[in-house]
């Protein structure tokens, strides 16, 4: 396409080059095309030194009419997508540009026709009635196409800000099941400037119907429960912005949401999203997400499950130190400015470490390990209205009340039921863990010192020790005290000993959770055992056992499964599937395992698992109109799941706009693990079964794009010494 890269993002492709001109007079273009001499290009802007005999095929397309034809002929199930489930002929004639649209060429197959539908929807968005479309855009290598869409479209689709421009989008809460759907924002008690900003907004933008409330200084569980009937968004970081006229105003620091009904900034999702953002050179966005976490710790006391009012007592798995390091390594500011930013961030992480994870009730003084143990009260309000009916029913029957009547009396504390209190404690803990829901945690989560949480806290201790030593000359002031690297190193060593004592099972060659009440291991086999490799708290012998003995339990066709089938147990009508159990696979588990295996030199396994996961994503992307969902059944490679919460990211018309946050990130991160040979095979959708069985895959340490297997490198010792310079 003249003046435009044929693989440019849609904004560029449909507003520059040939598509920047008025193509409405198609009859004139057709007339010119029919009269042109052989080899003459339509509407050429410049003459090259010679004309190619064979030119890439391009089409002259009427956007509205072609879109109508596709939907009428191909979309047989009426979902505004073209997938392998549609029963149309999967062939559509379109006019070539060289013939002015008179000569037709057949667009064939699900992938090309669904790509055509997507391109038409994007062109329509940019106001195009007719377009010149490159065939290469329709049969683009799916790996390149998906990676490009993530980088140029999906991140933008998931971007939110909490300010005048962003509030209309962010206030929408599909999880709100209360009668009060008024947009509402809660402001920290001491943020007067922000409070005044939003009060002014109420006056200047009355159509928002925004309600502004200040939070109290002490945010207690009782207070949080008291506002569950009027939920709202929680304010995040803002920065001063000067407009073209020199006026100073506040602007929200942007962040990425997971997608779909998850329309707020989530805790652990944000870490994985930041990994993808950094790879896609969106460092400022990743930095802003760290800044928003610092804001949350400063004003709400913790990194929140998400920034909604009903999450104020609940955190999520902590990743802040590694997230900060990843961003710090890519910042381009002056060294002192970078150092100041890191200082503020690490000070917040230390506060979170002391006040949340090393304080009761989350800290267990007997084992010295930590638990997911939120302090909320009552029934979690973000669930579907009927979600807990089966739990409440027996208690309601006993008192001759309806479920609704009993729930209302229980919520108002007219009824006291310790068994329900215990049940909802564990339910909230499951949500704080991020693994909602799983039989691994059912009715016991708050009592478990989990391998995932304690691996993360070990990583906090190691990271903070290294940062203090390498960046702050082994002196870091916190609350009037001096923190030293040795103190944090000792904490890490102590936690490793406790992990080995309570969580490692030598006989099973696997890490398990530990029940701090029953004083025994909870022998549910979870893929989070490999988080110990990510954190680096496993010995080399433990790592070898995890890889050689236990990994086959979790590796299936489409990647790593969350837990084993044996641990999950039998599924029946009264015991349905849980989405964080077998046979489901999730992006964070894949990424953590890849990194962990890489840390211990198991690059062959890391690449193999990355290929499996990326094949799962790519195949669905090709077969289902570009879908990138929240999760997969990695045994059958299916994203159309019948499970408790469905599958976010599948409900769109014509063209995917967002993907799903951590799934997008896992694709970009996963590509960095593949060799060139593997990426080419992935582009042809070669299944893992075929690829690993019938091909000799040479995975040399220096074929790895973007990294090196240090233990196989001749310069291993030198590389190890260079590790300290990473900051």
């Amino acid at each position: 396409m003249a003046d435009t890269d044929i693989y440019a993002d849609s904004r560029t492709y449909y507003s520059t080059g040939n598509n920047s001109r008025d193509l409405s007079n198609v009859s004139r273009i057709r007339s010119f095309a029919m009269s042109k001499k052989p080899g003459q290009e339509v509407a050429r802007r410049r003459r090259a030194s010679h004309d190619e005999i064979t030119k890439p095929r391009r089409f002259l397309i009427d956007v509205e009419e072609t879109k109508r034809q596709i939907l009428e002929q191909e979309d047989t199930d009426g979902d505004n997508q073209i997938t392998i489930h549609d029963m149309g002929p999967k062939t559509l004639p379109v006019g070539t540009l060289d013939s002015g649209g008179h000569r037709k060429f057949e667009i064939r197959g699900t992938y090309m026709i669904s790509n055509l539908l997507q391109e038409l929807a994007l062109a329509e968005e940019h106001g195009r009635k007719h377009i010149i479309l490159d065939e290469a855009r329709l049969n683009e290598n799916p790996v390149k196409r998906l990676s490009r869409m993530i980088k140029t479209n999906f991140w933008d689709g998931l971007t939110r800000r909490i300010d005048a421009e962003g509030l209309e989008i962010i206030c929408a809460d599909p999880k709100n099941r209360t009668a009060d759907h008024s947009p509402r924002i809660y402001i920290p008690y001491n943020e007067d400037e922000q409070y005044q900003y939003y009060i002014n907004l109420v006056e200047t933008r009355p159509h928002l119907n925004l309600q502004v409330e200040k939070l109290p200084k002490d945010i207690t569980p009782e207070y949080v429960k008291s506002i569950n009937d009027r939920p709202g968004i929680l304010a995040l970081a803002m920065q001063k912005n000067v407009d073209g006229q020199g006026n100073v105003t506040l602007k929200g620091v942007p962040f990425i949401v997971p997608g779909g009904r998850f329309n707020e900034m989530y805790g652990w999702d944000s870490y994985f999203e930041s990994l993808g953002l950094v790879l896609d050179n969106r460092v400022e966005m990743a930095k802003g997400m760290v800044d928003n976490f610092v804001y949350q710790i400063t004003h709400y006391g913790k990194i929140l499950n998400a920034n909604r009012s009903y999450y104020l007592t609940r955190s999520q798995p902590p990743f802040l130190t590694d997230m900060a390091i990843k961003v710090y390594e890519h910042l381009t500011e002056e060294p002192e400015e970078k150092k100041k930013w890191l200082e503020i961030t690490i000070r917040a992480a230390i506060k979170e470490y002391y006040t949340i994870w090393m304080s009761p009730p989350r800290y267990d003084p007997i084992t010295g390990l930590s638990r997911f143990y939120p302090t909320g009260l009552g029934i979690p309000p973000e669930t579907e209205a009927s979600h807990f009916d089966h739990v409440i029913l027996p208690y309601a029957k006993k008192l001759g009340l309806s479920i609704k009547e009993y729930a209302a009396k229980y919520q108002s504390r007219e009824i006291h039921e310790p068994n329900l209190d215990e049940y909802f404690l564990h339910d909230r803990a499951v949500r704080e863990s991020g693994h909602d829901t799983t039989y691994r945690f059912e009715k016991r989560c708050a009592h478990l010192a989990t391998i995932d949480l304690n691996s993360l806290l070990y990583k906090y201790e190691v990271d903070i020790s290294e940062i203090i030593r390498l960046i702050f000359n082994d002196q870091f002031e916190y609350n009037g005290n001096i923190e030293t690297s040795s103190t944090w190193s000792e904490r890490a060593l102590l936690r490793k000993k406790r992990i080995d004592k309570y969580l490692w099972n030598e006989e099973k060659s696997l890490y398990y959770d530990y029940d701090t009440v029953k004083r025994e291991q909870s022998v549910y086999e979870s893929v989070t055992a490999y988080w110990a490799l990510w954190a680096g708290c496993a010995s080399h012998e433990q790592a070898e056992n995890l890889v050689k003995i236990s990994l086959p339990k979790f590796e299936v066709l489409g990647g790593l499964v969350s837990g084993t089938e044996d641990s999950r147990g039998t599924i029946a009508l009264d015991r349905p599937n849980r989405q964080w159990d077998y046979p489901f696979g999730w992006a964070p588990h894949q990424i953590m395992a890849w990194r962990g295996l890489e840390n211990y030199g198991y690059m062959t396994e890391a690449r193999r698992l990355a290929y499996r996961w990326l094949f799962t994503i790519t195949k669905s992307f090709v077969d289902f109109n570009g879908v990138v969902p929240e999760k997969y059944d990695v045994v059958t490679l299916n994203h159309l799941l019948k499970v408790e919460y469905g599958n976010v990211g599948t409900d769109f018309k014509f063209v995917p706009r967002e993907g799903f946050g951590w799934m997008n990130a896992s694709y970009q991160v996963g590509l960095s693990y593949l060799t060139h040979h593997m990426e080419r095979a992935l582009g042809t959708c070669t299944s893992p079964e075929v690829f690993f069985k019938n091909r000799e895959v040479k995975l040399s340490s220096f074929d790895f794009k973007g990294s090196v297997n240090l233990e196989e490198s001749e310069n291993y010792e030198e590389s190890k010494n260079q590790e300290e310079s990473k900051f």
Side-chain angles (χ1 to χ4, degrees):
M1 180 174 184
D3 302 330
T4 306
D5 181 357
I6 60 174
Y7 298 122
D9 67 272
S10 59
R11 290 180 296 270
T12 303
Y13 188 82
Y14 291 114
S15 62
T16 59
N18 285 324
N19 277 319
S20 67
R21 290 172 290 142
D22 181 12
L23 302 179
S24 59
N25 191 353
V26 176
S27 60
R28 177 176 56 80
I29 296 175
R30 286 174 173 168
S31 175
F32 177 72
M34 295 300 290
S35 64
K36 70 185 182 68
K37 299 175 183 178
Q40 182 179 352
E41 183 63 85
V42 174
R44 285 189 75 129
R45 293 193 165 191
R46 61 174 66 90
R47 182 175 179 81
S49 58
H50 64 278
D51 290 326
E52 295 179 352
I53 297 175
T54 303
K55 292 183 286 295
R57 192 177 286 112
R58 291 187 290 170
F59 308 114
L60 180 62
I61 294 179
D62 181 317
V63 174
E64 184 178 351
E65 174 60 19
T66 308
K67 182 180 173 185
R68 184 197 65 77
Q69 289 176 14
I70 292 176
L71 294 175
E72 184 178 284
Q73 173 183 297
E74 301 291 345
D75 184 22
T76 58
D77 59 9
D79 65 352
N80 296 301
Q81 299 177 21
I82 307 302
T83 75
I84 57 172
H85 289 168
D86 287 305
M87 303 306 293
K90 300 290 173 67
T91 178
L92 187 79
V94 294
T96 63
L97 176 63
D98 283 352
S99 69
H102 289 288
R103 192 166 57 249
K104 304 295 181 181
F105 178 82
E106 297 281 344
I107 303 297
R108 294 179 176 274
T110 300
Y111 181 60
M112 286 190 72
I113 290 178
S114 69
N115 283 350
L116 177 56
L117 178 62
Q118 293 173 51
E119 293 298 328
L120 295 175
L122 292 169
E124 203 169 45
E125 251 181 37
H126 291 87
R128 310 309 299 172
K129 300 295 184 183
H130 295 83
I131 57 172
I132 296 171
L133 182 64
D134 292 84
E135 181 185 9
R137 205 166 170 91
L138 302 182
N139 59 21
E140 182 180 3
N141 182 309
V143 175
K144 302 294 185 184
R145 182 176 178 87
L146 175 50
S147 183
R148 173 175 63 82
M149 290 178 72
I150 291 169
K151 186 173 184 177
T152 61
N153 293 82
F154 290 178
W155 292 132
D156 291 338
L158 294 171
T159 298
R160 302 287 186 274
R161 292 201 325 267
I162 303 181
D163 56 20
E165 285 71 33
L167 267 173
E168 291 192 63
I169 300 175
I170 196 68
C171 277
D173 185 6
K175 300 181 298 306
N176 180 4
R177 60 181 174 88
T178 69
D180 186 352
H181 287 268
S182 302
R184 182 181 286 102
I185 186 166
Y186 286 94
I187 314 297
Y189 81 98
N190 57 351
E191 282 289 278
D192 294 333
E193 191 174 11
Q194 274 198 29
Y195 182 75
Q196 192 57 51
Y197 171 87
Y198 290 111
I199 290 296
N200 293 340
L201 197 61
V202 171
E203 299 175 1
T204 57
R205 301 200 180 193
H207 69 281
L208 288 176
N209 195 28
L210 181 67
Q211 299 182 34
V212 183
E213 295 191 34
K214 262 198 178 185
L215 292 167
K217 181 177 181 180
D218 296 318
I219 303 172
T220 64
E222 289 77 13
Y223 169 77
V224 176
K225 181 173 175 290
S226 75
I227 62 172
N228 279 344
D229 61 348
R230 55 181 200 279
I233 196 76
L234 299 172
L236 290 179
M238 302 188 82
Q239 55 194 5
K240 291 186 177 179
N241 183 61
V242 181
D243 64 21
Q245 287 72 44
N247 300 314
V248 179
T249 186
L250 294 178
K251 190 172 183 178
V253 174
F255 54 91
I256 300 294
V257 300
R261 67 176 178 268
F262 304 113
N263 191 35
E264 48 274 310
M265 183 179 180
Y266 275 77
W268 70 322
D269 294 70
S270 295
Y271 167 72
F272 296 102
E273 290 158 359
S274 72
L275 298 181
L277 290 168
V278 168
L279 280 174
D280 285 339
N281 296 315
R282 297 200 173 202
V283 179
E284 280 303 308
M285 176 66 77
K287 177 177 178 288
M289 293 170 77
V290 172
D291 293 339
N292 277 315
F293 277 167
V294 171
Y295 183 95
Q296 289 182 24
I297 293 170
T298 302
H299 295 289
Y300 306 126
K302 62 181 72 67
I303 291 176
L304 300 169
N305 186 159
N307 63 312
R308 297 277 180 194
S309 56
Y310 42 76
Y311 291 136
L312 276 165
T313 62
R314 199 187 307 164
S315 189
Q316 270 203 325
F319 284 92
L320 181 55
T321 58
D322 193 70
M323 189 174 173
I325 289 170
K326 294 291 186 295
V327 172
Y328 179 86
E329 290 172 343
H330 290 83
L331 291 179
T332 58
E333 287 88 342
E334 292 297 320
E336 283 305 310
E337 189 177 345
K338 288 174 58 176
K339 183 177 178 180
K340 182 64 178 176
W341 177 83
L342 188 62
E343 179 184 350
I344 293 170
T345 303
I346 296 307
R347 186 167 285 118
I350 292 174
K351 176 185 177 181
E352 179 202 19
Y353 174 88
Y354 283 142
T355 61
I356 299 299
W357 303 113
M358 295 300 288
S359 295
R362 291 177 177 85
Y363 177 71
D364 175 52
I366 296 177
T367 61
L369 298 173
S370 300
R371 309 169 292 192
F372 295 109
Y373 205 119
T375 57
L377 297 172
I379 303 171
E382 79 274 17
T383 57
E384 293 84 351
S386 62
H387 186 79
F388 296 110
D389 283 2
H390 69 290
V391 177
I392 296 171
L393 180 61
Y395 300 97
K397 275 186 174 180
K398 190 175 179 181
L399 295 182
L401 298 173
S402 69
I403 292 173
K404 187 175 181 180
E405 289 170 334
Y406 187 95
K409 289 179 179 293
Y410 175 75
Q411 286 291 78
S412 66
R413 310 194 109 175
E414 293 178 53
I415 292 176
H416 296 273
E417 179 48 68
N419 290 332
L420 274 182
D421 294 344
E422 177 88 356
Y423 176 88
F424 288 120
L425 164 65
H426 293 306
D427 183 86
R428 285 189 297 273
V430 171
R431 298 171 194 281
E432 181 168 84
S433 78
H435 293 80
D436 47 328
T437 62
T438 165
Y439 288 115
R440 171 190 174 201
F441 288 156
E442 192 152 282
K443 299 179 182 179
R444 56 181 173 172
C445 186
H447 294 162
L448 298 179
T450 69
I451 180 58
D452 30 323
L453 176 57
N454 286 283
S455 294
L456 295 178
L457 293 175
Y458 173 85
K459 185 68 159 56
Y460 260 46
E461 291 155 350
V462 170
D463 287 346
I464 293 171
S465 173
E466 289 190 355
I467 289 169
I468 290 174
R469 180 170 59 88
L470 297 173
I471 305 299
F472 295 99
N473 199 28
D474 218 8
Q475 297 283 310
F476 191 90
E477 186 275 330
Y478 176 78
N479 276 1
N481 298 316
I482 298 300
E483 302 275 349
T484 64
S485 62
S486 61
T487 301
W488 286 91
S489 293
E490 288 167 7
R491 287 175 180 149
L493 288 171
L494 183 57
R495 188 177 299 273
K496 180 182 175 355
K497 289 179 182 178
R498 289 166 174 169
I499 288 173
D500 287 343
K501 178 179 179 180
Y502 293 105
L503 308 184
W504 175 250
N505 189 308
E506 185 67 32
E507 181 183 351
K508 300 289 187 180
S509 294
L510 199 65
Y511 289 101
Y512 291 106
D513 305 324
Y514 183 81
D515 192 315
T516 60
V517 173
K518 293 182 178 179
R519 301 296 167 198
E520 63 185 22
Q521 282 189 345
S522 172
V523 287
Y524 187 105
E525 296 174 329
S526 170
V527 76
T528 56
Y530 293 86
W531 291 29
L533 301 186
W534 176 87
C537 62
S539 68
H540 283 279
E541 183 181 358
Q542 287 169 326
E544 183 176 8
N545 288 338
L546 281 167
V547 174
K548 304 299 183 185
I549 298 173
S550 296
L551 189 60
K553 297 179 182 179
F554 300 98
E555 183 175 353
V556 294
L557 177 61
L560 286 171
V561 72
S562 295
T564 64
E565 188 173 14
D566 287 343
S567 285
R568 181 203 63 186
T570 303
I571 296 302
L573 286 175
D574 60 347
R575 195 175 186 272
N577 253 327
R578 300 295 190 215
Q579 64 176 2
W580 284 92
D581 291 335
Y582 181 94
F584 304 113
W586 293 76
H589 290 165
Q590 318 300 318
I591 295 173
M592 295 291 279
W594 303 337
R595 176 73 181 277
L597 291 165
E598 178 188 356
N599 285 344
Y600 286 82
Y602 292 100
M603 284 307 305
T604 297
E605 290 79 3
R607 291 173 181 151
R608 186 178 69 234
L609 291 172
Y611 186 91
R612 290 185 182 281
W613 180 248
L614 266 59
F615 173 78
T616 304
I617 300 174
T618 305
K619 192 69 166 65
S620 288
F621 178 78
V622 168
D623 289 346
F624 290 92
N625 208 107
V627 71
V628 180
E630 175 192 27
K631 57 183 175 283
Y632 289 100
D633 176 334
V634 287
V635 175
T636 64
L637 307 194
N638 184 18
H639 73 280
L640 301 171
L641 310 177
K642 292 182 179 179
V643 69
E644 53 199 334
Y645 295 119
N647 203 2
V648 179
T650 63
D651 185 19
F652 59 87
K653 292 183 177 180
F654 312 126
V655 59
R657 311 286 177 174
E658 305 175 337
F660 193 83
W662 60 26
M663 193 69 78
N664 300 340
S666 74
Y667 202 78
Q668 305 299 66
V669 173
L671 286 176
S672 72
Y673 278 84
L674 300 191
T675 65
H676 293 291
H677 176 60
M678 297 174 89
E679 187 173 323
R680 286 195 298 271
L682 184 64
T684 63
C685 287
T686 303
S687 78
E689 286 180 323
V690 172
F691 184 76
F692 293 117
K693 182 178 181 181
N694 297 337
R695 295 171 183 266
E696 181 182 358
V697 184
K698 295 182 179 179
L699 302 174
S700 71
S701 59
F702 292 98
D703 194 22
F704 177 43
K705 297 178 297 180
S707 185
V708 173
N709 183 351
L710 295 179
E711 291 190 353
E712 294 176 7
S713 168
E714 293 179 357
N715 301 315
Y716 174 57
E717 289 301 324
E718 180 183 349
S719 300
K720 232 175 24 170
N721 293 335
Q722 291 175 351
E723 182 70 8
E724 291 194 355
S725 67
K726 68 181 180 180
F727 295 104

